[in-house]
Structures are given as C-alpha cells and as structure tokens.
Amino acid sequence: MTQIKSSGKSSGAKNSQADFPDSKVALFGQDEPLQLDSGVVLSPFQIAYQDYGTLNEDKSNAILICHALTGDQHVANTHPVTGKPGWWDILVGPGKIIDTDRYYVICSNVLGGCLGSTGPASKNPKTGKPYALDFPVITIGDMVRAQAMLVEKLGIKTLFCVVGGSMGGMQALQWAAAYKEKVFSSVILATGARHSAQNIAFDEIGRQAVMADPNWLGGRYLEAGKRPTKGLAVARMTAHVTYLSEAALHRKFGRNLQNRDQITFGFDADFQIESYLRHQGMTFVERFDANSYLYLTRAMDYFDLEAEYGGHLADAFKGSRGRFFVASFSSDWLFTTAQCRTFVHALNAAGARVSFVEIKTDKGHDAFLLDEPVMFSAIHSFLTAAAEQRGLTA
C-alpha cells in the first residue's frame, strides 16, 4: 500500500485539504477500482485517515471509528483547519474508554468527504478540475466498501470493533450486514436502519438552501473561486436544531436576549439562540465543502437496510456471530429509540448477541458526542468483555 503524509503545504487551507490532507492517505490506483451502488466504477481514488495506538502482532486489536455527517478523520487529534480538539477526544485516547494504549484505532474520512478522501471537492484526474457534480452519487454501502479496502490494505483481517453514531452508526450497521466475518463486535449509537421521511425532509431543506445560494454556481463554485457560504450556513443551522432537544435549547438559551436589555424591533440576532445558530453556521463553512454536504446527506437518505434485504431486516444480520452494543437517547428525535429498537429486534431475530440501553438525557441527538457517564460506562463494560472474549490482554 502507498501511504503518504501531507506535505504541510496546505497550511490548514480547506480546499487544499481535499487533495493533500494533514493526515495519512491510502491511494488506490487504476488496478484497484471501487464498484459503486450507482453502477459507476471509481478509479483511481484515495482515502484519508488517522490512526492512533499500535497494531498488535496478530492484528487483533483494531477498532474502526466511523464518523457522522459533519465529522472527519480527526477523531482524537487537533483539527488542522479549526485548531480544535478531535471531535471524540472525550472518548478516544490514552487511558480513555477507547484506549489507544490498548487498541489500534483507525478513523477515515468517508468517501465523498472533503478532508482528503475522494469527493466532489477533489481534483478529477480526467479534467484537472474539481469533480463538483461530476462526482458520482454515493451510498453508505460505498463508504463502507472503501473502508474495507483501506482495512485490507492495512493487513487487518478482522476488526475487533466498529464504532459509530448517527451516520457513523449507519456505517457500523452496514459493516455488520456486509462483512459479518470481519467484525468481532460493534458499538452502534443514535442511529437507524433507514432514514425516516422527516429526516429526508430536513436534508432536502439543507440541500435546497445550498443550491439556492447564488455562489453555488451549479456546483462549480471552486473553479470560480467562490463558495456558497450563506446557503451552507443555513443548511447547518437547520440541521443543528435537529441535533438538540427542546429541553436542551430551553436550558441553554430559553428566550434570553443577546447582549441587550430589550428587543430591537429589527432582524438582528435579538435572542441568544439566534446568535448561537448563526455562529454554528459560519464556523461550519470554514471547514466543510458545500457539495460534500449534498452528497453525504443524500447517502443518508438512500440508506435502507430493510429494502436492501428484500424487506426483511433480520436477513441483513443472518449468520452474524458478532457482539453488539446499541444505545439510543431518550430526547433524540432525529433517531428515536423506536428506530433503534427496530434493528435491535432484527438483530435478536437473527440470533445475534445484543446489549441495548436507552439513555435518559435531555441533550438530544448530540448526546452521543458529549459527556454521558451512563454511555461511557456501558461502552467500557462492553469493550472490556469483548476484549476478554477476543483474548486481548489488558
């Protein structure tokens, strides 16, 4: 396998990160094509990834972490664009729940992403210009096949665990269905076996906001040196509301005014929640590509394991010998407990070994990314037991 480090010339610039990321990169040449669900064959392509810890001698301690919609490979290191800690730094690292002193942890930027894995912001080798909408539409299955190619190139036959929440949880489910013999255990958080009509609706609002921005230019904004920042910021603001609960919004902001004693009778950010959402929108556009947002939300919309297995979800997990930990969050209305229970019941019907918990919290969907002691304790217990079954020494 060819692995390269970023040259350092990117200096954290987002557009440069698309082709020359500040992370490791696995290159897949013309002789290593990726067959996509759309029927298109993608070749060549690359997958950017970070790894932490040391792979043991028999390569049995590897954990793959799958990121959510707006995440990336920088799960436990300083982000090269924002300078902030890794998005799951609270869970992953030396001595932490996912202990990099014990496990070899891999996290890749998904196919279609914008931090180094081939996607719409990447250079199309046929034209020398960014793919933009010439990039083929991808699915969760395509993302997972690309990850499987990366894992194979790293010489790993079986993953000790696949971990993911939200879109990452979809990937973990796809791994469990498509690569039963390669996954020893799974940690699946705040997700569903398919996207609901409500979730598709919110994704469509976000896509339309991006495409309505005059700087989107039919997706060719990078060639013109422009970016649809306003449209992408609105998409982020809309999505971010779905990640929180009403109780969390009330607790954090209520109807508190932003740096003023009374309303202005205008359209400035009178309320703290307005200012917060505007900040979320504008910081997001600094690190994310608008076309990638279109592609990744579309991949989530298309995800439907039940349909993939002829309307019988249990068949997706038939023959699985893996161990599963599944958690939902009581105030998550993006992926409800009922949605989680649907695939838990399917796992049970398939004879899989499943532990399931609904965690009581008012933090909403984002709870899986936050300091949730019950979640931490449950994941720690599950991984400890699985490691013993795997024969991994402490």
Side-chain angles (χ1 to χ4, degrees), residues 255-258 260-266 269-271 274:
R255 290 181 54 84
N256 297 330
L257 298 179
Q258 177 69 20
R260 63 201 64 193
D261 296 324
Q262 57 188 3
I263 58 176
T264 63
F265 293 95
D270 276 359
F271 296 97
E274 294 175 310

Side-chain angles (χ1 to χ4, degrees), residues 2-301:
T2 302
Q3 295 181 35
I4 59 172
K5 278 279 193 181
S6 169
S7 65
K9 295 179 181 178
S10 63
S11 301
K14 179 171 63 63
N15 288 348
S16 297
Q17 293 284 332
D19 290 307
F20 304 104
D22 288 316
S23 67
K24 293 182 179 179
V25 177
L27 303 174
F28 298 87
Q30 296 287 354
D31 60 336
E32 300 171 289
L34 176 63
Q35 178 69 54
L36 303 179
D37 284 333
S38 65
V40 174
V41 175
L42 185 64
S43 179
F45 70 99
Q46 67 183 42
I47 296 295
Y49 69 99
Q50 291 282 20
D51 58 356
Y52 315 84
T54 303
L55 189 63
N56 62 10
E57 188 173 348
D58 62 359
K59 301 182 179 180
S60 62
N61 69 333
I63 293 179
L64 176 69
I65 294 179
C66 303
H67 71 74
L69 170 63
T70 61
D72 49 48
Q73 68 269 38
H74 303 293
V75 63
N77 59 274
T78 301
H79 198 283
V81 177
T82 67
K84 294 181 178 179
W87 57 266
W88 228 356
D89 184 71
I90 195 171
L91 190 73
V92 182
K96 297 181 181 179
I97 302 299
I98 299 180
D99 187 354
T100 52
D101 287 336
R102 184 177 191 184
Y103 305 116
Y104 174 63
V105 177
I106 311 158
C107 185
S108 68
N109 188 216
V110 294
L111 186 72
C114 52
L115 265 292
S117 291
T118 300
S122 305
K123 184 180 292 186
N124 183 342
K126 294 181 180 178
T127 65
K129 299 177 181 179
Y131 274 102
L133 297 196
D134 290 337
F135 191 69
V137 172
I138 57 166
T139 65
I140 298 295
D142 296 331
M143 296 175 189
V144 168
R145 278 189 291 277
Q147 290 167 351
M149 292 174 71
L150 169 63
V151 169
E152 183 179 350
K153 282 209 165 192
L154 292 172
I156 299 167
K157 300 296 184 184
T158 305
L159 290 164
F160 165 60
C161 193
V162 176
V163 183
S166 194
M167 189 184 84
M170 290 179 170
Q171 294 165 63
L173 283 171
Q174 185 73 42
W175 266 98
Y179 297 98
K180 297 178 180 67
E181 73 287 355
K182 292 182 179 293
V183 181
F184 185 81
S185 63
S186 303
V187 172
I188 303 170
L189 310 171
T191 197
R194 65 180 179 183
H195 236 188
S196 68
Q198 177 177 259
N199 291 349
I200 295 171
F202 276 109
D203 283 350
E204 176 63 3
I205 291 169
R207 289 190 293 266
Q208 289 298 320
V210 170
M211 293 188 285
D213 190 312
N215 283 339
W216 185 60
L217 301 176
R220 297 288 179 186
Y221 50 88
L222 291 178
E223 291 180 44
K226 297 183 177 181
R227 294 165 57 208
T229 54
K230 292 182 179 178
L232 182 58
V234 171
R236 171 62 169 175
M237 291 166 67
T238 302
H240 198 73
V241 172
T242 72
Y243 304 152
L244 304 173
S245 68
E246 193 281 332
L249 286 170
H250 179 74
R251 173 168 45 81
K252 285 184 174 182
F253 306 107
R255 290 181 54 84
N256 297 330
L257 298 179
Q258 177 69 20
N259 297 328
R260 63 201 64 193
D261 296 324
Q262 57 188 3
I263 58 176
T264 63
F265 293 95
F267 297 100
D268 197 2
D270 276 359
F271 296 97
Q272 287 181 4
I273 182 59
E274 294 175 310
S275 178
Y276 171 76
L277 288 176
R278 292 183 187 190
H279 173 74
Q280 286 293 322
M282 294 316 297
T283 55
F284 180 64
V285 302
E286 294 302 315
R287 65 177 180 85
F288 215 86
D289 174 65
N291 282 339
S292 276
Y293 194 85
L294 304 185
Y295 278 80
L296 300 190
T297 55
R298 200 45 150 177
M300 294 181 74
D301 292 348

